[in-house]
Amino acid sequence: MTSTVWREAITVRAHRLGALAVAAGLAVAPLPAGARQGGDQPGDGRQAVTLRVALTQQVDSLNPFLSTFQAGTEVGRLMYDFLTAHDADDQRPVEGLADRWESSPDGLTWTFHVPEGKRWSDGRPITARDAAFTYDLMMRDEVAATANGSFTAGFESVTAVDDRTLVIRTRQPQASMPALDVPIVPEHVWSRVERIGDYRNDAAPVVGSGPFVLAEHRPNEFIRFTANRDYWRGAPRYDELVFVHYKTVDAAAQALARGEVDLVNRLGPAQFDSLRDEPGVTLNRAQGRRFTELVINSGAATRDGEPIGDGHPALRDIVVRRAIAQALDLDAIIARVSGGYAERGTGPVPPVFAEHHLTPDPPLRHDPAAANAELDRAGYRVRDGLRVTPEGRPLELRLLGHASRAYDEPAAEFVKRSLADVGIAVDVRIVSDNQLNESTTAGAFDLALSGWGVNPDPDFVLSLHTCDQRPNADGRGGTTDAFFCDPEYDALYARQRAELDPDARAAIVRRMQQRWYDQVPAVVLGYDNALEAYRSDRFASFPVQPDPGGVIMGQTGVWGYYGAVPTASAGAPAGVGAGWVLGAAGAVVAAAVAIWLVARRRGAEDRE
């Protein structure tokens, strides 16, 4: 492989022309008790402009080394940039904290260059030493590797040659190197943290490198950020960003309709359709980068193979897992539960990333009769309408779902009715996000509704199914999806990771997914469309990723929040005009007084 240097290409987009110069203040609905209206006033006589976003999922942690929930990783990206980013238009690797990088001819040494002028929110300079500290911490501290450890697992050494130059040596070529979706933290803050696992990182203001600074956090109530006026890409166009927690999607949709929040996603079909004719509301339907799955506890264990949890032992039998898959009519789930707003599921990589998406051969088709015949042959007899194992234990399974998602309860009931057709009883339990996460992490479940967001580079989502991602004896140190552990899959994972030819790598990635699909540690129920809505009477536009046709929230980056454009009547922060750029190069683009020119350019994976 020849040495390759990646540089950002700045493109000024005419269709992102922004609001005109400062106008009247934005009338905002009351925030939750304790959150200051407008926060710190701009000091120019106008009311602060606030973007209020509904959150229906709990934030598991503000510690970027620990957070795996979609909501937690999303707010974390606002505080901490990565070494590289992903372009908002086509999701290719572009400038993050490093503005350029190159690899050695053998692909084992990567050099990243961190330019001068980028600063932490407390004014200290961002250097290559901060990145070296972050990666080294993940390499030597198992807890620090919890959320994103797969990215550094193949590193041999990380060295900051000086403040501007970072050198990473890997044990073998690593295809994901231009897309290390790891939040870089400031060494001068985190070097004082004694126990990463106990550090909440919520004592505002949190020192970060991103476009927003944490100002206030009340768990399960709200999270308030203020705009980082010294952000290296240029300041956001508004003053505050507040995430407001709602227990249900219905409540969040109603809050948007009443004008209490400005942006909401994760809408169900009913909520999305109910907002279609709502005055001042604009809808966004996008091909999502997430998948929804039915996880099957096929044998929860630590990475040393020690069994944990209390999953039903029959689920270790591939015959039972295949029968579960064949009992499920995926097209019916999409029609009846997703309202048609989804695509049929196969492997973990959704069709938005076409080169890595799996078309299974052969597919597991909806066929309850075949499933019943296979269960009969394997000795699972029917007794009083319910199948029992050869040892006589009834096939009665617990199914966990999220209370925060409109999808889970009807999907769980659909699964329950479907599995009854093959003699399997299901006890549906809809619980909080944290309860579900604790139960699945401990292996204390039989079935669970879950899902992940997938990045343009598939390495992370593929790593979730490797043996090493299972937890250690203390229940920490890994992020597994279904406790899947298969030597053939692991061998393919190592091959794709080291394969630098894109076409050859894509073929291996599809083979991996076929192996996963055939072993049925989970059933991908579908790739839901992202259903979002925003108050277009308050915010004129939001960048989407990819563009066109992409999402506002749940991006592999922060463009949707960072590039939000208030309406002309809302005004814009003083000093955020000609100097504001939504671009990974961080260059300053001159603009006429009445026009904002926007140069747009991109995270860790995230779990439901």
Side-chain angles (χ1 to χ4, degrees), residues 270-289:
Q271 295 89 6
F272 187 73
D273 291 339
S274 72
L275 294 169
R276 190 171 301 280
D277 298 319
E278 192 71 34
V281 171
T282 293
L283 304 181
N284 183 50
R285 175 184 178 181
Q287 187 180 42
R289 66 177 188 90

Side-chain angles (χ1 to χ4, degrees), residues 45-127:
R46 64 180 177 82
Q47 187 177 14
V49 178
T50 301
L51 171 59
R52 299 153 305 169
V53 180
L55 271 188
T56 57
Q57 188 190 44
Q58 292 174 313
V59 173
D60 54 339
S61 177
L62 292 180
N63 183 328
F65 295 105
L66 304 181
S67 180
T68 59
F69 278 17
Q70 185 268 333
T73 57
E74 188 139 347
V75 299
R77 292 171 187 146
L78 300 170
M79 297 187 286
Y80 301 104
D81 280 323
F82 304 153
L83 201 58
T84 64
H86 290 263
D87 182 82
D89 287 348
D90 58 16
Q91 306 185 96
R92 63 187 173 86
V94 293
E95 180 181 6
L97 295 182
D99 64 347
R100 57 190 176 89
W101 50 94
E102 63 265 359
S103 69
S104 61
D106 62 5
L108 296 177
T109 301
W110 287 76
T111 303
F112 294 84
H113 303 274
V114 179
E116 293 187 23
K118 298 178 181 181
R119 295 187 175 275
W120 297 104
S121 56
D122 63 358
R124 297 275 291 268
I126 297 171
T127 72

Side-chain angles (χ1 to χ4, degrees), residues 312-605:
H312 198 299
L315 296 176
R316 299 172 193 163
D317 187 346
I318 192 172
V319 172
V320 176
R321 300 198 302 272
R322 286 177 62 88
I324 290 172
Q326 288 181 295
L328 299 175
D329 186 342
L330 301 188
D331 292 329
I333 290 178
I334 290 172
R336 299 173 192 173
V337 180
S338 300
Y341 292 120
E343 298 174 77
R344 184 182 177 88
T346 57
V349 179
V352 69
F353 306 120
E355 69 276 19
H356 294 131
H357 177 62
L358 172 69
T359 300
D361 182 21
L364 275 172
R365 303 189 185 279
H366 174 233
D367 193 342
N372 277 309
E374 286 297 321
L375 289 170
D376 289 340
R377 281 191 287 270
Y380 293 90
R381 306 182 313 279
V382 177
R383 187 171 66 195
D384 298 326
L386 180 65
R387 288 194 181 273
V388 297
T389 68
E391 296 75 30
R393 179 172 174 174
L395 280 183
E396 297 176 316
L397 308 178
R398 300 156 296 170
L399 169 54
L400 304 183
H402 300 79
S404 66
R405 294 199 308 180
Y407 177 91
D408 283 31
E409 187 167 1
E413 291 299 327
F414 188 98
V415 171
K416 178 179 180 177
R417 292 192 300 271
S418 298
L419 296 194
D421 293 339
V422 294
I424 299 175
V426 174
D427 175 21
V428 173
R429 304 178 185 182
I430 303 299
V431 299
S432 71
D433 296 331
N434 285 335
Q435 286 176 286
L436 190 146
N437 189 54
E438 289 170 4
S439 295
T440 53
T441 300
F445 74 104
D446 299 316
L447 307 172
L449 290 168
S450 185
W452 291 83
V454 181
N455 283 344
D457 189 292
D459 185 80
F460 185 91
V461 75
L462 299 174
S463 77
L464 297 174
H465 308 292
T466 59
C467 299
D468 283 346
Q469 284 301 106
R470 296 176 300 171
N472 60 22
D474 297 326
R476 306 294 293 270
T479 302
T480 186
D481 177 47
F483 292 96
F484 185 57
C485 178
D486 177 70
E488 181 177 333
Y489 180 94
D490 275 18
L492 288 168
Y493 175 75
R495 282 185 56 195
Q496 70 80 29
R497 189 179 181 89
E499 180 56 68
L500 302 181
D501 178 82
D503 293 337
R505 185 187 182 208
I508 300 170
V509 167
R510 293 192 294 270
R511 282 185 59 192
M512 291 177 64
Q513 293 179 85
Q514 183 71 55
R515 176 64 179 175
W516 181 91
Y517 182 89
D518 291 341
Q519 293 297 304
V520 206
V523 179
V524 176
L525 303 177
Y527 312 105
D528 287 343
N529 296 154
L531 303 180
E532 306 173 306
Y534 65 92
R535 297 293 314 195
S536 47
D537 52 357
R538 294 176 181 160
F539 282 82
S541 66
F542 293 85
V544 297
Q545 184 191 47
D547 189 2
V551 296
I552 298 171
M553 296 174 64
Q555 298 180 356
T556 47
V558 297
W559 311 121
Y561 301 113
Y562 176 47
V565 178
T567 58
S569 61
V576 188
W580 186 89
V581 180
L582 183 56
V588 175
V589 179
V593 173
I595 298 178
W596 301 57
L597 295 180
V598 182
R600 298 194 310 96
R601 290 296 173 225
R602 171 184 170 210
E605 231 68 19

Side-chain angles (χ1 to χ4, degrees), residues 101-394:
W101 50 94
E102 63 265 359
S103 69
S104 61
D106 62 5
L108 296 177
T109 301
W110 287 76
T111 303
F112 294 84
H113 303 274
V114 179
E116 293 187 23
K118 298 178 181 181
R119 295 187 175 275
W120 297 104
S121 56
D122 63 358
R124 297 275 291 268
I126 297 171
T127 72
R129 302 186 195 282
D130 295 301
F133 168 81
T134 301
Y135 296 141
D136 180 70
L137 181 63
M138 294 170 62
M139 292 167 64
R140 59 183 170 80
D141 187 321
E142 196 170 44
V143 175
T146 297
N148 298 296
S150 68
F151 288 112
T152 58
F155 287 9
E156 181 175 282
S157 65
V158 179
T159 306
V161 177
D162 52 41
D163 283 354
R164 302 292 141 225
T165 310
L166 178 75
V167 176
I168 301 176
R169 292 186 172 86
T170 60
R171 287 187 287 273
Q172 60 181 355
Q174 186 166 322
S176 63
M177 287 302 292
L180 298 174
D181 296 333
V182 175
I184 302 300
V185 300
E187 180 180 12
H188 66 279
V189 173
W190 286 82
S191 61
R192 301 197 299 266
V193 176
E194 295 182 359
R195 291 175 59 87
I196 294 296
D198 297 333
Y199 189 57
R200 295 172 58 182
N201 195 41
D202 61 356
V206 170
V207 177
S209 59
F212 295 92
V213 179
L214 179 69
E216 194 172 4
H217 176 218
R218 295 197 180 182
N220 299 320
E221 292 185 35
F222 66 88
I223 307 174
R224 184 170 67 89
F225 293 91
T226 56
N228 182 358
R229 294 287 168 231
D230 297 319
Y231 184 45
W232 60 271
R233 287 188 174 112
R237 296 189 180 193
Y238 55 98
D239 303 284
E240 285 195 335
L241 172 59
V242 179
F243 291 90
V244 185
H245 288 268
Y246 290 89
K247 291 184 177 179
T248 66
V249 177
D250 272 332
Q254 291 166 17
L256 184 86
R258 291 192 299 265
E260 295 172 4
V261 294
D262 305 307
L263 176 63
V264 61
N265 77 339
R266 302 167 72 90
L267 292 169
Q271 295 89 6
F272 187 73
D273 291 339
S274 72
L275 294 169
R276 190 171 301 280
D277 298 319
E278 192 71 34
V281 171
T282 293
L283 304 181
N284 183 50
R285 175 184 178 181
Q287 187 180 42
R289 66 177 188 90
R290 308 188 64 80
F291 65 88
T292 300
E293 63 179 343
L294 179 69
V295 175
I296 302 173
N297 187 346
S298 56
T302 68
R303 67 186 56 165
D304 294 325
E306 187 68 26
I308 60 175
D310 59 1
H312 198 299
L315 296 176
R316 299 172 193 163
D317 187 346
I318 192 172
V319 172
V320 176
R321 300 198 302 272
R322 286 177 62 88
I324 290 172
Q326 288 181 295
L328 299 175
D329 186 342
L330 301 188
D331 292 329
I333 290 178
I334 290 172
R336 299 173 192 173
V337 180
S338 300
Y341 292 120
E343 298 174 77
R344 184 182 177 88
T346 57
V349 179
V352 69
F353 306 120
E355 69 276 19
H356 294 131
H357 177 62
L358 172 69
T359 300
D361 182 21
L364 275 172
R365 303 189 185 279
H366 174 233
D367 193 342
N372 277 309
E374 286 297 321
L375 289 170
D376 289 340
R377 281 191 287 270
Y380 293 90
R381 306 182 313 279
V382 177
R383 187 171 66 195
D384 298 326
L386 180 65
R387 288 194 181 273
V388 297
T389 68
E391 296 75 30
R393 179 172 174 174

